[in-house]
């Protein structure tokens, strides 16, 4: 892997929100840290008509609004390396013009043939743009590498993901494809690997003998905001579970790779995907719970129901909450339930992985207020990044009462360390040619295979309820019943915020 090789970074969908909020601020952060080569150009491409100067101005504003680094002094020199090209995505002619523009920039900026194409467009263009690029030879690597970064979602279901795979692999090799899943770029997700494989104390316990169950939560307090149109055709399962949460589960469950080589790590991740036990159609009702948020009042403010959000069908049956129980059928995890839940308009924003260890085999101290503590290791992915270990301790005084106490590490305590954004990390990795933290085609296909029975059943079986939950609550109460075991339930990092405790079937 080489760093800092001169290249052109081409962003399709350059007038879109992601470019402004994440991609350009991340590239600027790399520029400030001198992690971009001197001979570098950023070429924004989209349907809108902008001049180079207009595009530069709007990117300068974006860098200031969505700050990744405090240093503003480099904005001017950075923007001198920013250019713009208008295109009609479905018109082959304009790709010739794009090719000429790229060649002119190469000559003017002394850049070799290395090029990254980042698709930040509607998913319907993920097949079309790479085909057009290939038709004008922009996939050929004789004069330098060509890489294609593709945003999620990779397909809408198994059939469309397979079709997209075939289309892409006709003109591009798997090594050229970088399927971005921004969760893999999060520092704390990578820290799951470090926690597991650099500490001798955890790994011996990390299996069916000592782990009772694994819980993964990704809660958001926001609703669908301005993305109602997209979200209504997607839903929580496609938007969060198919990619981010299954990746997180795979990193939590994988075997130790033989090295840090991308292929070694990705092979282990793939094996987890291949071991996911399919949920039988007859079990979907009990093992996959879906919900949709209802209007409510949160801290004296009225919050709209999902069906009244802009761009959403007023009779929508799209889930804004999903919870699954599933198993990983392999030697390490045989019989250990994994629980995943995600939802919009929950009480707080939190993503965490909780390893629930089995209780001691004999309850010596069960006379006290709390019986033997069940140890939990909570890996907090966001927002308060860190690790929390819960364990039982003697309550001082007479008798042997046990209370649960915390050992808590917060990244924020390392005040001298800046946590780079997920996009900054992943963009930099793609520039270096390191695909470790990008999803491989087979992983994505396996994830769709696993979720297909749930998607099918939710679509076709009117008997499977879609539960309403008040915005600001923890989702349908029925989801509590997923978690097996006496007195077992999800970990609730904070209480319901909604004033309205009503849950109903929609
Ligand atoms: C995106 C989803 O992939 O991830 C969004 O499309 C979701 O709906 C977002 O809000 C969550 O990302 P993060 O980094 O804020 O947890």
């Amino acid at each position: 892997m080489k760093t800092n090789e001169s290249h052109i970074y081409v962003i399709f969908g350059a007038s879109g929100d992601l470019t402004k909020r994440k991609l350009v601020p991340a590239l600027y952060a790399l520029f400030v840290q001198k992690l971009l080569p001197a001979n570098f150009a950023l070429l924004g491409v989209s349907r809108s008509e902008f001049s180079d100067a207009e595009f530069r101005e709007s990117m300068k504003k974006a860098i200031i609004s969505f700050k990744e680094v405090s240093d503003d002094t480099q904005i001017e020199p950075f923007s001198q390396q920013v250019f713009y090209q208008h295109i009609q995505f479905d018109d082959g002619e304009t790709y010739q013009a794009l090719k000429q523009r790229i060649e002119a920039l190469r000559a003017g900026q002394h850049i070799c043939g290395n090029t990254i194409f980042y698709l930040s467009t509607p998913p319907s263009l993920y097949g079309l743009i790479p085909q057009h690029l290939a038709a004008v030879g922009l996939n050929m690597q004789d004069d330098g590498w060509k890489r294609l970064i593709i945003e999620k979602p990779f397909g809408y279901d198994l059939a469309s993901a397979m079709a997209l795979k075939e289309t892409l692999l006709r003109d591009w090799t798997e090594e050229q494809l970088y399927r971005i899943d921004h969760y893999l770029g999060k520092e704390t997700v990578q820290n799951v690997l470090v926690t597991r494989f650099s500490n001798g104390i955890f790994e011996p316990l990390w299996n069916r003998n000592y782990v009772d169950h694994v819980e993964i939560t990704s809660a958001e307090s926001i609703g669908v905001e301005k993305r109602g149109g997209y979200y209504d055709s997607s839903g929580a399962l496609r938007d969060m579970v198919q990619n981010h949460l299954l990746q997180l589960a795979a990193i939590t469950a994988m075997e130790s790779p033989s090295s840090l080589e991308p292929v070694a790590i990705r092979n282990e991740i793939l094996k987890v995907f291949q071991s996911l036990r399919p949920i039988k159609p007859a079990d979907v009702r009990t093992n996959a719970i879906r919900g949709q948020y209802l209007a409510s009042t949160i801290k004296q403010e009225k919050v709209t129901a999902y069906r009244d959000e802009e761009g959403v069908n007023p009779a929508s049956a799209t889930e804004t909450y999903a919870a699954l129980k599933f198993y990983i059928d392999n030697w390490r995890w045989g019989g250990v339930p994994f629980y995943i839940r995600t939802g919009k308009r929950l009480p707080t924003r939190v993503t965490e992985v909780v390893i629930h260890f089995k209780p001691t085999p004999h309850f010596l101290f069960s006379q006290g207020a709390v019986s033997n503590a069940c140890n939990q290791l909570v890996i907090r992915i966001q927002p308060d990044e860190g690790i929390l270990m819960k364990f039982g301790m003697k309550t001082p005084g007479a008798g042997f009462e046990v209370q649960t106490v915390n050992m808590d590490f917060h990244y924020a305590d390392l005040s001298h360390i800046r946590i780079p954004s997920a996009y900054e990390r992943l963009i930099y990795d793609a520039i270096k040619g390191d695909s470790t933290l990008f999803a491989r085609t087979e992983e994505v296909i396996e994830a769709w295979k696993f979720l297909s029975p749930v998607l099918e059943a939710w679509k076709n079986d009117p008997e499977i309820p879609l539960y309403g939950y008040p915005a600001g609550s923890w989702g349908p109460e029925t989801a509590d019943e997923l978690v097996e075991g006496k007195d077992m339930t999800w970990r609730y990092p904070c209480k319901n915020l909604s004033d309205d405790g009503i849950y109903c079937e929609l």
Side-chain angles (χ1 to χ4, degrees):
M1 262 177 289
K2 295 182 188 152
T3 55
N4 278 333
E5 288 181 313
S6 79
H7 66 279
I8 298 189
Y9 207 98
V10 182
I11 300 181
F12 286 87
S15 56
D17 216 38
L18 186 73
T19 304
K20 287 197 198 92
R21 282 175 182 272
K22 302 284 182 190
L23 306 184
V24 169
L27 280 161
Y28 176 67
L30 292 172
F31 182 82
V32 168
Q33 295 165 83
K34 307 210 178 331
L35 294 173
L36 294 182
N39 299 349
F40 164 82
L42 167 59
L43 179 63
V45 175
S46 82
R47 272 186 293 236
S48 314
E49 303 264 6
F50 292 127
S51 64
D52 283 345
E54 284 166 335
F55 184 63
R56 268 177 205 154
E57 278 315 304
S58 96
M59 291 307 111
K60 282 191 213 168
K61 285 190 192 131
I63 292 169
I64 291 168
S65 309
F66 304 104
K67 243 187 196 4
E68 293 283 353
V69 278
S70 51
D71 183 353
D72 286 349
T73 61
Q74 301 296 306
I75 294 182
E76 207 43 58
F78 173 77
S79 70
Q80 291 313 307
Q81 290 174 255
V82 175
F83 305 87
Y84 184 79
Q85 175 76 22
H86 152 260
I87 200 171
Q88 289 302 337
F89 290 122
D90 54 355
D91 174 5
E93 290 292 305
T94 62
Y95 288 82
Q96 280 296 354
L98 172 66
K99 187 178 181 187
Q100 282 161 15
R101 185 76 204 271
I102 289 175
E103 280 164 2
L105 283 176
R106 274 184 200 146
Q109 312 288 314
H110 310 290
I111 301 175
C112 68
N114 298 336
T115 317
I116 291 184
F117 299 102
Y118 195 116
L119 304 191
S120 170
T121 61
S124 54
L125 299 173
Y126 292 173
L128 188 76
I129 294 172
Q131 274 178 304
H132 278 299
L133 289 174
V136 296
L138 282 170
N139 60 336
M140 302 305 286
Q141 307 207 74
D142 36 3
D143 58 348
W145 44 254
K146 306 288 181 304
R147 297 179 186 142
L148 190 62
I149 306 185
I150 306 174
E151 267 294 331
K152 67 164 250 278
F154 191 85
Y156 178 76
D157 53 18
L158 181 58
S160 55
M162 295 284 278
L164 181 56
K165 168 187 158 183
E166 272 168 35
T167 307
L168 290 172
L169 292 179
R170 232 174 272 144
D171 302 311
W172 301 76
T173 64
E174 178 68 27
E175 288 65 40
Q176 288 178 284
L177 303 182
Y178 288 69
R179 252 168 255 85
I180 207 159
D181 183 314
H182 80 277
Y183 265 53
L184 294 180
K186 290 184 192 276
E187 198 61 37
T188 36
V189 172
Q190 295 150 39
N191 192 41
V192 176
L193 292 178
V194 177
T195 303
R196 291 188 55 196
F197 302 129
S198 76
N199 292 295
I201 58 170
F202 296 124
E203 202 46 29
L205 307 180
W206 211 267
N207 56 51
R208 68 186 181 286
N209 296 324
Y210 301 99
V211 174
D212 186 80
H213 64 278
V214 176
E215 176 186 338
I216 300 178
T217 292
S218 185
E220 292 184 90
S221 50
I222 53 168
V224 290
E225 304 200 296
K226 301 266 172 257
R227 299 165 73 225
Y230 149 78
Y231 196 88
D232 208 33
S233 63
S234 169
L237 209 62
R238 289 187 172 90
D239 187 50
M240 291 293 289
V241 178
Q242 193 274 341
N243 32 70
H244 308 326
L245 296 192
L246 286 181
Q247 287 288 347
L248 205 43
I251 287 198
T252 306
M254 69 190 263
E255 296 301 318
S256 166
S258 54
S259 73
L260 278 186
E261 285 302 308
V263 68
I265 294 186
R266 292 165 103 196
N267 280 349
E268 295 307 333
I269 291 180
L270 178 61
K271 282 187 213 160
V272 178
F273 279 99
Q274 289 167 334
S275 311
L276 293 170
R277 185 191 300 173
I279 299 177
K280 294 194 193 109
D283 294 338
V284 170
R285 191 189 171 104
T286 45
N287 288 13
I289 306 296
R290 57 176 170 168
Q292 191 187 81
Y293 62 80
L294 305 172
S296 86
T297 311
I298 301 176
K299 295 184 183 161
Q300 281 88 51
E301 277 200 23
K302 293 227 174 302
V303 176
T304 322
Y306 173 70
R307 288 180 180 176
D308 295 330
E309 299 273 19
E310 194 186 318
V312 171
N313 175 352
S316 172
T318 299
E319 79 287 354
T320 58
Y321 173 97
L324 295 188
K325 172 180 166 189
F326 62 93
Y327 292 89
I328 297 173
D329 280 340
N330 64 17
W331 198 264
R332 183 187 283 263
W333 295 113
V336 177
F338 277 68
Y339 301 100
I340 277 183
R341 67 177 165 166
T342 183
K344 301 262 184 212
R345 284 273 185 237
L346 300 186
T348 188
R349 174 175 183 249
V350 65
T351 301
E352 61 180 27
V353 176
V354 189
I355 310 294
H356 293 259
F357 291 95
K358 288 186 174 167
T360 54
H362 175 51
F363 298 123
L364 254 190
F365 306 113
S366 57
Q367 305 300 319
V370 179
S371 64
N372 288 28
C374 287
N375 299 118
Q376 291 175 12
L377 181 73
V378 182
I379 305 177
R380 280 191 309 259
I381 306 295
Q382 61 188 21
D384 175 16
E385 294 87 351
I387 294 192
L388 166 70
M389 179 81 206
K390 287 181 163 286
F391 61 100
M393 200 199 75
K394 181 178 179 302
T395 306
F400 280 98
E401 288 206 1
V402 181
Q403 73 184 81
T404 301
V405 291
N406 294 342
M407 227 157 66
D408 205 355
F409 162 73
H410 302 261
Y411 265 84
D413 294 342
L414 307 175
S415 51
H416 58 288
I417 289 181
R418 168 182 170 265
I419 300 185
S421 79
Y423 277 95
E424 183 181 324
R425 167 71 199 247
L426 293 174
I427 287 174
Y428 186 54
D429 281 2
I431 291 173
K432 288 190 301 173
D434 181 351
S435 57
T436 312
L437 299 174
F438 292 83
R440 206 155 84 178
T441 305
E442 296 102 303
E443 290 166 31
V444 180
I445 299 291
E446 290 297 330
W448 280 122
K449 271 189 205 159
F450 171 64
L451 291 178
S452 284
V454 181
L455 290 166
E456 294 276 305
W458 281 1
K459 186 170 153 214
N460 300 325
D461 186 348
E463 296 291 299
I464 298 181
L466 169 67
Y467 296 97
Y469 64 94
S473 74
W474 275 104
E477 281 180 338
T478 321
D480 283 346
E481 290 160 22
L482 269 184
V483 184
E484 274 174 27
K486 188 170 171 290
D487 301 331
M488 288 287 189
T489 184
W490 300 91
R491 202 177 100 82
Y492 287 109
C494 78
K495 298 221 165 63
N496 281 350
L497 296 179
S498 154
D499 295 344
D500 175 1
I502 305 160
Y503 295 79
C504 60
E505 234 176 76
L506 278 171

